[in-house]
């Protein structure tokens, strides 16, 4: 089944007119759906199934699905529009993609690393749905030296926002100049989860980078750059 959208959106997606102008075309009786004139607003059509004509000319809509992996730098928000006008991750991809995509889940403004983006809402829901929650691996630089008892607490779960986190894999990679580099893999996606987990055992996260989500890895993708996901990466989340 194709995506179901309002008629004016469909017309706008075809590049014929803006949504506002499309509403006017409908008012003027110039639009037909499946060969029948439509003059009321709010009619819905299915992409790839219904036909839409304006002045008797058949419109074509590209509903090609796009799936990408971005190496998000720090200093970008993962919302589509920011209330403080800070740069968004959309700014990093839109020039080359020419299609509207949105971030799958979120990364904090200060967090860097792997962010998935798509225009496929069903797929995005699968990736982020708590029931299917994929494992996510991060590298975190902590202020102070993480002790073994603290490490074990992180692994077993700590209480953040009144609820215990699920067991996590965590390893100390390096201790240097009073800082600890850890690798941590979590299976949930709660708000600022990694930062809050380490805060709960007394350590501030100074830097945080996401390395992987499920089977998708950041690899050597340069900062601020993106790549298309492979078909097996896309299917991995669909099968969940
Ligand atoms: N955990 C955090 O604390 N921040 C992120 O951006 C992602 C996970």
């Amino acid at each position: 089944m194709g995506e179901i959208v309002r008629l004016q959106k469909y017309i706008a997606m075809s590049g014929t007119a803006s949504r506002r102008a499309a509403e006017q075309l409908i008012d003027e009786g110039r639009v037909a759906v499946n060969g029948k004139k439509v003059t009321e607003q709010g009619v819905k059509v299915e992409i790839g199934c219904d036909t839409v004509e304006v002045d008797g000319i058949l419109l074509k809509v590209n509903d090609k699905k796009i799936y990408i992996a971005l190496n998000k730098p720090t200093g970008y928000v993962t919302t589509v529009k920011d209330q403080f006008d800070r740069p968004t991750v959309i700014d990093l991809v839109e020039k080359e993609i020419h299609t509207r995509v949105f971030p799958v889940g979120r990364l904090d403004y200060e967090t860097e690393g792997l962010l998935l983006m798509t225009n496929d809402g069903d797929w995005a829901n699968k990736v982020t749905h708590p029931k299917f929650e994929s494992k996510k691996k991060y590298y975190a630089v902590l202020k102070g030296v993480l002790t073994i008892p603290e490490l074990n607490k992180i692994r077993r779960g700590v209480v953040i926002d009144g609820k215990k986190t699920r067991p996590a894999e965590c390893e100390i990679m390096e201790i240097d100049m009073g800082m600890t580099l850890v690798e941590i893999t979590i299976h949930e996606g709660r708000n600022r989860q990694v930062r809050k987990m380490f805060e709960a055992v007394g350590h501030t996260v100074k830097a945080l980078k996401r390395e992987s989500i499920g089977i998708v890895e950041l690899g050597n993708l340069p900062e601020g750059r993106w790549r298309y996901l492979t078909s097996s990466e896309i299917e991995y989340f669909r099968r969940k």
Side-chain angles (χ1 to χ4, degrees):
M1 200 174 88
E3 191 184 352
I4 294 171
V5 296
R6 291 164 76 90
L7 184 52
Q8 62 268 45
K9 179 173 176 188
Y10 186 101
I11 297 169
M13 285 168 83
S14 77
T16 309
S18 68
R19 275 195 213 193
R20 176 82 72 70
E23 284 169 7
Q24 210 168 332
L25 291 172
I26 296 167
D27 279 341
E28 290 166 1
R30 294 166 62 187
V31 179
V33 174
N34 300 326
K36 253 182 89 191
K37 187 158 89 178
V38 168
T39 49
E40 76 269 29
Q41 303 292 338
V43 168
K44 293 197 169 142
V45 290
E46 187 179 337
I47 298 171
C49 175
D50 293 312
T51 64
V52 178
E53 289 159 84
V54 172
D55 295 336
I57 295 169
L58 187 66
L59 306 188
K60 274 201 199 122
V61 161
N62 182 3
D63 78 332
K64 189 170 174 321
K65 298 288 185 250
I66 287 183
Y67 308 87
I68 68 173
L70 169 73
N71 184 353
K72 175 195 174 298
T74 59
Y76 284 79
V77 291
T78 53
T79 42
V80 173
K81 179 103 189 79
D82 182 48
Q83 55 172 331
F84 305 113
D85 249 359
R86 290 175 296 186
T88 80
V89 289
I90 308 291
D91 301 335
L92 292 169
V93 300
E94 69 180 357
K95 278 197 199 80
E96 291 163 287
I97 291 187
H98 306 296
T99 303
R100 240 182 264 168
V101 288
F102 53 86
V104 179
R106 60 190 162 213
L107 278 182
D108 303 331
Y109 181 70
E110 325 86 276
T111 302
E112 56 187 316
L114 180 63
L115 181 73
L116 303 180
M117 299 178 82
T118 185
N119 56 358
D120 183 342
D122 292 337
W123 185 82
N125 284 340
K126 284 232 158 163
V127 179
T128 56
H129 195 288
K131 204 167 102 193
F132 307 114
E133 201 64 76
S134 316
K135 61 177 187 182
K136 301 178 205 70
K137 185 165 97 184
Y138 297 85
Y139 288 121
V141 177
L142 314 178
K143 204 166 160 203
V145 175
L146 189 74
T147 65
I148 299 301
E150 288 164 350
L151 174 66
N152 286 333
K153 275 191 201 161
I154 291 286
R155 286 176 172 161
R156 283 195 301 264
V158 290
V159 176
I160 61 169
D161 301 327
K163 196 171 161 236
K164 196 171 175 185
T165 56
R166 284 172 45 197
E169 290 126 63
C170 188
E171 301 291 340
I172 295 175
M173 309 301 287
E174 200 181 325
I175 296 173
D176 188 31
M177 314 251 290
M179 303 274 203
T180 310
L181 172 66
V182 294
E183 182 187 294
I184 176 164
T185 302
I186 58 174
H187 302 260
E188 302 159 283
R190 292 164 61 184
N191 187 29
R192 297 179 73 84
Q193 179 162 346
V194 174
R195 291 175 196 278
K196 287 177 182 170
M197 285 174 77
F198 287 107
E199 211 58 69
V201 295
H203 294 274
T204 301
V205 171
K206 299 295 288 176
L208 185 61
K209 183 172 191 177
R210 182 154 65 196
E211 284 296 320
S212 65
I213 304 173
I215 61 162
V216 183
E217 299 198 346
L218 194 57
N220 51 13
L221 191 61
E223 191 180 294
R225 296 295 305 153
W226 60 272
R227 66 168 173 88
Y228 288 109
L229 295 191
T230 64
S231 48
S232 54
E233 286 172 330
I234 298 165
E235 288 310 314
Y236 167 82
F237 294 104
R238 253 201 256 286
R239 274 199 300 270
K240 281 184 150 271

